[in-house]
């Protein structure tokens, strides 16, 4: 299935600012409200269902020998028009 990027933003920011963005997303999810992403002339509003699929990944990209790039990715997924997602459970974040 082809992927269409609806919105993308990537820039270096202090951890406190990133935490503030994540808190805003968490508050919107908790309240069942749409999430609107804005950057420059880009805007997209998403309405996650009550139980989207939540994917968390920690990755290292780069050569086997030597330094690489580390990342932590948080992703919500759902089918368009879906009311509920699957429940895999079991995730803990400390």
């Amino acid at each position: 299935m082809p992927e269409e990027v609806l919105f993308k933003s990537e820039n270096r920011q202090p951890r406190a600012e990133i935490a503030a963005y994540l808190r805003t997303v968490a508050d919107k999810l908790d309240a069942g409200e749409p999430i609107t992403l804005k950057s420059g002339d880009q805007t997209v509003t998403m309405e996650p269902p009550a139980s989207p699929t939540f994917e968390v990944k920690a990755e290292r990209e780069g050569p086997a020998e030597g330094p690489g790039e580390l990342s932590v990715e948080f992703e919500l997924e759902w089918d368009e028009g879906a009311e509920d997602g699957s429940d895999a459970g079991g995730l803990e974040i400390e």
Side-chain angles (χ1 to χ4, degrees):
M1 180 180 338
E3 180 177 288
E4 176 187 2
V5 176
L6 302 175
F7 181 92
K8 182 173 180 171
S9 175
E10 183 175 340
N11 56 354
R12 186 174 299 273
Q13 297 180 10
R15 287 187 301 199
E17 287 183 24
I18 296 168
Y21 284 118
L22 293 173
R23 275 188 208 93
T24 300
V25 170
D27 290 346
K28 296 283 188 180
L29 286 171
D30 201 32
E33 298 175 355
I35 299 166
T36 299
L37 307 171
K38 296 180 183 179
S39 180
D41 62 348
Q42 294 184 90
T43 301
V44 67
T45 299
M46 308 292 283
E47 297 188 45
S51 297
T53 299
F54 182 48
E55 180 181 341
V56 179
K57 284 198 278 187
E59 296 180 329
R60 179 186 178 281
E61 294 181 34
E65 300 295 325
E69 180 180 82
L70 299 172
S71 67
V72 176
E73 299 177 10
F74 301 97
E75 182 173 274
L76 299 174
E77 294 180 308
W78 64 93
D79 291 329
E80 286 187 270
E83 293 298 318
D84 258 330
S86 64
D87 180 19
L91 174 67
E92 292 183 29
I93 299 176
E94 299 178 353

